[in-house]
Amino acid sequence: MRMPPLFRAAAAALLCAAAAAAPAPPAPTTPPESRFDVHLSGVAALQHLHVHPPAAPPAANATVGGLPVAAHAALRALDVHEGDLLIGANDAAIPALPLQAWLEALSKGGGRGGGSAGVFPLVEVTAGGEGGGGGGARMRVTGFLKAEVIPLQHARAVFRPAGKHRQELEAAANKQASAAAAQLNAEQERIRAQAQAIADAKQRELEEETRKRREAQEKAEREKADAHAKAAAKAAAAASAAAAARTAQEKRARGEGFVYTVEFKEAGPMGITFDLANTTAVIGDVARGSAAATLGIRAGDQLVEVNGVDTSGMGPERAGREVMRAEWPRRLSLTVPEVEKPASPRDMELVILQPLLVRGVYALRAPNDWGADLPLAAVDNDSDGDGGGGGGGAVCSGVSVLVTDPDSGCATVQQAVSLAGGNFTAQADLSGGAVVIVRRGSCPFVDKASNVQTLLGGAAAAAAGARSAVVVANTDNELVDMPAGNLPTAGITIPVAMMRKEDSFGLEQVLGVGMPCTGLLAAPGRCAAPSLPRPERGADGKPVRNRPATDVGGRLAVVSARGAREFDWHLALYGPHAPNGTVVNVVVASPSDACDAEALMVRVRGSFVIAERGVCSFSMKTLALQKAGALGMILTNNAATTLRMMAPEEEDKRTCCTAPEEEAKQARIPSAMASSALGAWAEAHARLGGVALARFFYEDYYGAYG
């Protein structure tokens, strides 16, 4: 066994010291079996520890050796005396054997080694020394060498890897470090995800609470708004019903004829009976206190429609059956006949001869105490070439009907009053007079009449043969007096009269699109508008055909800046009748199918709408336009013919063209069909733009106009 150099030096020193002859040290004062420990670190004056070589070799069975201590003043202070044996240090004994022998004994498992650990003094041999008695050789201890043998069973060896093994260990360490880092990252990500999930859950919970609060608030607001709307609708309906009842009562008192509609909401006795002696469905009696009496139905009124079914041509028994089989709620439309009354000296009529769109007789009323009387109208049995008179009066010749600019007939600082309308020019011959329409408002009635009279040539306007007049268009549908106030009226030498708003609308619109208009003022019943002759052949050259008794339709006249046209039309078998003889605004639907109220790109409220056939059912178009506020629908066919748009009732299943029954029952506006010729006209009008007007005429023949 090889030993480190330090071990070899220490062992050699000890062996040499043991072999040297030296005087025996003094006998120790401490019993051999006793021992005591001294902490040398606390002795500041101790620089060296001197010992004597052992006097004799240790006994054969000794395990612990010892070195006699040389006297030293510092040691004596620690109660260490000359000759005391140094037997160990730091809890390890000085073996009895030299270092080499001790190591060999331990390696062989011998028992004299003194244990697996030993302390060997590191000494220098000197001669003499402090306090020495005898001056023999001494050894100076400079430190201790502690040796310990560790059995393999208890050893923890340390190796340094090299080569491929080192690379493998480094790779494994790196892999382990990466795995640990990945695990750490995964754990951190899991913690972050968990924290985010908790935050998201809190956010969702907060949003859900906010949504619930908002929905609850919106629901409360809707319920409140619905309650207000229902209350307002109920109040409005009550007010409307009361107003309608008052209007109907006033019209009845004046003897006017009109149409009204009532609704029986709940099933039960209605309280009406029909006059069986009459050929039409005239109410014979209304039970006192009944639902019919509450709704304002009176004896003598004629039933013309039940839930959209036309009963105007039915007798009392058939109309009664129609009422009984109608579903609830039942909507009844009735007409009140006009009561003939003697004409007042202040009553007049405006007879419009041309154009066809506004041809007719319109009621007027003159002021009570001013304005000229009507001149005698010249009678011409066929002055306009339309062929004969009729309607209770002669066909009279007319003059130009004009309007003023501004339409009020009132002069302002910025604008003087001038004549306009139709194809009027400043060079037009007004020697025969003219009927001038002005709107009510902006200045007194007398000023309007004076301004128009001046425009017509002053006193010449009242010359013999001249038939000039001023017609004031009222702002409502009443004919009232036009007081002069304190203004002088002696200079007004032409007739002045008032016209209802609903009658003046068509005239003003026709004149606005440049259509010439002729007419005159006359006493009631004195003159009549020319009747409409029945053509022998239609636009296609075929003979005009009689309309079946169950068919409803006639002539549709339209006017725009492009001129005037006429077309055949058929009324649908659902919804109410089209207005008879009333001028209405017309617009062309965009998109042309008019299937969706929300998709319409033109304003249709207050107008009849021309739509194309196709894409959706007839009644769907009607309901879409009804929702958008239209007055009615004119559907153009995809062929040069017309037909009646029908709902699938039992008697109509033979037809080709039906509308869903539930949709048809909801129709509250009239629907009519015209041929593809109207579609071509509508397409051209849509490109040109401007105002378009229409009027429905009911006729007992069809196929005349295309």
Side-chain angles (χ1 to χ4, degrees):
M1 176 179 178
R2 299 187 62 184
M3 298 175 57
L6 181 60
F7 281 18
R8 290 199 300 271
L14 290 175
L15 291 175
C16 291
T29 58
T30 304
E33 64 274 13
S34 300
R35 58 177 290 171
F36 60 93
D37 294 341
V38 174
H39 290 282
L40 300 181
S41 61
V43 185
L46 183 63
Q47 300 296 325
H48 302 288
L49 175 62
H50 290 84
V51 295
H52 297 287
N61 59 350
T63 59
V64 179
L67 296 175
V69 178
H72 193 283
L75 291 176
R76 283 194 294 272
L78 298 175
D79 201 20
V80 177
H81 298 271
E82 176 79 20
D84 288 349
L85 294 179
L86 175 62
I87 62 173
N90 287 12
D91 298 328
I94 297 175
L97 297 177
L99 177 60
Q100 181 67 33
W102 180 77
L103 291 174
E104 291 177 355
L106 285 179
S107 65
K108 295 177 180 179
R112 296 180 66 246
S116 61
V119 175
F120 298 90
L122 299 177
V123 299
E124 292 179 355
V125 179
T126 63
E130 178 187 357
R138 291 187 301 178
M139 294 178 291
R140 184 176 62 184
V141 179
T142 60
F144 296 93
L145 173 66
K146 184 176 182 180
E148 182 178 6
V149 176
I150 303 173
L152 287 177
Q153 294 84 353
H154 305 291
R156 187 180 62 185
V158 179
F159 301 92
R160 175 176 294 171
K164 183 178 180 181
H165 185 206
R166 179 177 180 178
Q167 295 175 357
E168 292 174 351
L169 291 179
E170 289 177 350
N174 291 336
K175 183 177 180 181
Q176 185 177 5
S178 298
Q183 184 178 3
L184 178 61
N185 291 337
E187 181 65 15
Q188 291 175 343
E189 185 62 29
R190 185 189 66 79
I191 294 173
R192 282 195 298 269
Q194 185 177 8
Q196 185 63 42
I198 294 173
D200 292 344
K202 289 289 185 182
Q203 182 65 24
R204 287 193 298 271
E205 183 178 351
L206 178 61
E207 291 175 353
E208 181 67 14
E209 292 177 357
T210 303
R211 183 187 64 79
K212 289 181 178 179
R213 286 197 300 269
R214 184 174 63 252
E215 288 181 351
Q217 183 178 0
E218 291 175 352
K219 181 180 179 182
E221 291 176 353
R222 284 196 304 271
E223 291 176 350
K224 184 177 180 180
D226 290 344
H228 283 303
K230 289 179 180 178
K234 186 175 181 180
S240 177
R246 286 194 302 271
T247 301
Q249 187 175 2
E250 292 170 357
K251 288 184 176 181
R252 287 181 188 274
R254 292 194 299 267
E256 298 179 12
F258 60 94
V259 179
Y260 67 97
T261 300
V262 296
E263 183 175 71
F264 292 84
K265 297 183 180 298
E266 298 179 358
M270 299 171 64
I272 58 174
T273 57
F274 291 98
D275 182 4
L276 299 180
N278 208 307
T279 58
T280 57
V282 175
I283 305 298
D285 184 56
V286 179
R288 179 176 297 180
S290 64
T294 303
L295 293 172
I297 299 177
R298 300 290 182 267
D301 297 349
Q302 180 186 352
L303 179 66
V304 294
E305 189 176 281
V306 178
N307 284 6
V309 178
D310 184 10
T311 60
S312 59
M314 297 182 184
E317 294 181 354
R318 184 181 174 189
R321 290 194 299 270
E322 194 66 42
V323 171
M324 294 305 295
R325 73 174 185 174
E327 295 182 356
W328 300 91
R330 293 174 177 171
R331 288 176 58 88
L332 276 60
S333 294
L334 302 99
T335 61
V336 177
E338 184 176 2
V339 178
E340 294 291 338
K341 56 182 179 179
S344 165
R346 309 312 297 170
D347 290 339
M348 301 180 184
E349 290 178 346
L350 174 60
V351 182
I352 299 298
L353 306 175
Q354 291 292 348
L356 174 63
L357 189 74
V358 289
R359 179 182 294 181
V361 178
Y362 302 91
L364 306 177
R365 181 179 176 182
N368 290 335
D369 52 9
W370 65 282
D373 293 332
L374 286 171
L376 293 176
V379 176
D380 182 355
N381 288 332
D382 194 12
S383 62
D384 62 352
D386 281 337
V395 177
C396 304
S397 60
V399 295
S400 294
V401 178
L402 305 172
V403 292
T404 59
D405 184 19
D407 56 12
S408 64
C410 303
T412 64
V413 175
Q414 294 82 9
Q415 182 179 7
V417 181
S418 61
L419 294 175
N423 58 356
F424 175 78
T425 63
Q427 294 77 28
D429 181 12
L430 298 177
S431 59
V435 176
V436 181
I437 299 175
V438 297
R439 286 192 181 182
R440 182 177 182 177
S442 301
C443 66
F445 296 118
V446 175
D447 287 352
K448 296 175 186 290
S450 177
N451 291 337
V452 171
Q453 183 171 287
T454 300
L455 291 172
L456 294 177
R467 291 173 293 165
S468 297
V470 179
V471 175
V472 178
N474 200 4
T475 54
D476 56 34
N477 292 324
E478 300 296 328
L479 296 178
V480 297
D481 184 32
M482 294 182 286
N486 58 358
L487 296 177
T489 59
I492 305 301
T493 58
I494 60 176
V496 180
M498 177 173 283
M499 188 178 195
R500 294 186 180 94
K501 177 183 178 180
E502 63 184 3
D503 294 336
S504 65
F505 168 78
L507 288 171
E508 293 175 295
Q509 294 294 317
V510 165
L511 293 169
V513 298
M515 183 67 61
C517 184
T518 59
L520 72 154
L521 261 65
R526 177 69 181 266
C527 296
S531 60
L532 300 177
R534 171 174 171 163
E536 293 184 1
R537 293 186 177 274
D540 56 0
K542 296 180 180 179
V544 172
R545 297 170 291 282
N546 291 328
R547 191 177 300 277
T550 57
D551 198 9
V552 179
R555 179 190 322 209
L556 176 67
V558 295
V559 168
S560 70
R562 300 180 66 248
R565 286 287 305 274
E566 297 173 8
F567 304 93
D568 286 309
W569 67 274
H570 270 86
L571 183 69
L573 282 176
Y574 63 88
H577 279 202
N580 185 12
T582 302
V583 177
V584 294
N585 270 327
V586 174
V587 297
V588 180
S590 178
S592 58
D593 58 76
C595 291
D596 184 0
E598 305 298 332
L600 290 171
M601 295 184 290
V602 294
R603 178 179 175 83
V604 301
R605 182 172 297 278
S607 301
F608 267 72
V609 181
I610 299 177
E612 288 184 356
R613 181 179 180 179
V615 180
C616 62
S617 67
F618 300 144
S619 55
M620 185 178 293
K621 298 175 187 288
T622 301
L623 295 182
L625 294 175
Q626 177 176 293
K627 180 180 179 182
L631 292 181
M633 176 183 73
I634 306 172
L635 189 69
T636 60
N637 198 6
N638 49 18
T641 57
T642 61
L643 47 88
R644 297 197 74 178
M645 297 176 286
M646 310 183 77
E649 300 176 358
E650 290 299 324
E651 62 269 28
D652 298 324
K653 286 185 176 179
R654 66 185 185 280
T655 64
C656 66
C657 310
T658 62
E661 186 173 4
E662 292 304 317
E663 292 180 1
K665 290 180 180 179
Q666 301 173 32
R668 298 289 179 264
I669 61 173
S671 299
M673 177 178 281
S675 71
S676 57
L678 177 62
W681 178 92
E683 183 178 352
H685 172 71
R687 289 196 302 268
L688 184 64
V691 177
L693 307 169
R695 181 177 178 181
F696 292 91
F697 294 90
Y698 286 80
E699 296 174 339
D700 58 2
Y701 56 89
Y702 69 98
Y705 315 108

